[in-house]
């Protein structure tokens, strides 16, 4: 199965202060977040969410998000991707990952397209408790 790092999502208590750092110090350009029509609960206010695209694909690069303790509940998820940060790994066959997780008895949260246009997402903790997002492009 092929894979690549899609994005890194960092928790930012002050999204605008963190965004200013990445812009002014590292010279990164902030981009507009594009929401899918099937958007789940994801605050789009610039004080809550920022995107620094790397130019490879839509929404790849660095994401900054304000921690939201109710994020998981509002999206009917077991895992909360707004707290503690996570790395997102894009794969070409998410269903194979789902089958492997089920076979291993590992809990995960699976969504359809809700945060990034054209992608579905799965959230899972690795054995060390690190939250990982695994996603794939929707075919169709």
């Amino acid at each position: 199965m092929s894979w690549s790092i899609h994005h890194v999502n960092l928790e930012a208590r002050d999204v605008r202060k963190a965004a200013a750092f990445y812009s002014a110090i590292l010279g990164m350009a902030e981009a507009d977040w594009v929401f899918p029509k099937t958007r789940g609960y994801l605050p789009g206010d610039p004080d809550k969410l920022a995107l620094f695209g790397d130019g490879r694909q839509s929404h790849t690069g660095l994401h900054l998000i304000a921690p939201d303790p109710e994020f998981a509940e509002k999206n009917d998820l077991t895992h909360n991707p707004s707290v503690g940060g996570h790395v997102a790994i894009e794969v070409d066959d998410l269903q194979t990952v789902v089958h492997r997780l089920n076979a291993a008895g590992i809990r995960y949260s699976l969504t359809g397209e809700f945060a990034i246009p054209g992608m579905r997402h799965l959230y899972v903790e690795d054995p060390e408790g690190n939250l990982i997002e695994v996603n794939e492009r929707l075919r169709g």
Side-chain angles (χ1 to χ4, degrees):
M1 178 180 329
S2 67
W3 67 274
S4 63
I5 300 294
H6 184 271
H7 66 268
V8 173
N9 188 79
L10 299 177
E11 177 183 321
R13 291 176 300 282
D14 185 333
V15 170
R16 297 316 322 148
K17 184 176 179 180
F21 169 85
Y22 288 98
S23 293
I25 304 301
L26 299 180
M28 297 166 66
E30 190 169 354
D32 292 329
W33 193 284
V34 177
F35 295 96
K37 291 179 183 173
T38 53
R39 175 181 178 177
Y41 167 76
L42 182 64
D45 181 320
D47 289 341
K48 304 283 184 196
L49 186 66
L51 166 65
F52 290 88
D54 63 12
R56 291 182 302 124
Q57 299 172 18
S58 173
H59 296 78
T60 56
L62 176 65
H63 300 176
L64 303 175
I65 190 166
D68 183 341
E70 297 176 359
F71 187 96
E73 182 179 340
K74 289 180 179 178
N75 284 297
D76 196 28
L77 301 173
T78 302
H79 302 85
N80 187 338
S82 79
V83 175
H86 63 270
V87 64
I89 300 169
E90 183 176 342
V91 298
D92 58 1
D93 186 358
L94 190 60
Q95 198 56 44
T96 294
V97 175
V98 168
H99 287 306
R100 291 173 181 167
L101 290 169
N102 286 336
I106 298 172
R107 286 184 1 193
Y108 58 90
S109 299
L110 181 64
T111 75
E113 179 185 52
F114 93 107
I116 299 174
M119 300 199 87
R120 67 184 197 141
H121 317 272
L122 178 149
Y123 298 98
V124 63
E125 289 183 358
D126 74 9
E128 295 299 317
N130 298 299
L131 185 63
I132 305 297
E133 174 183 328
V134 184
N135 59 40
E136 80 172 343
R137 300 223 166 262
L138 295 172
R139 297 172 184 100

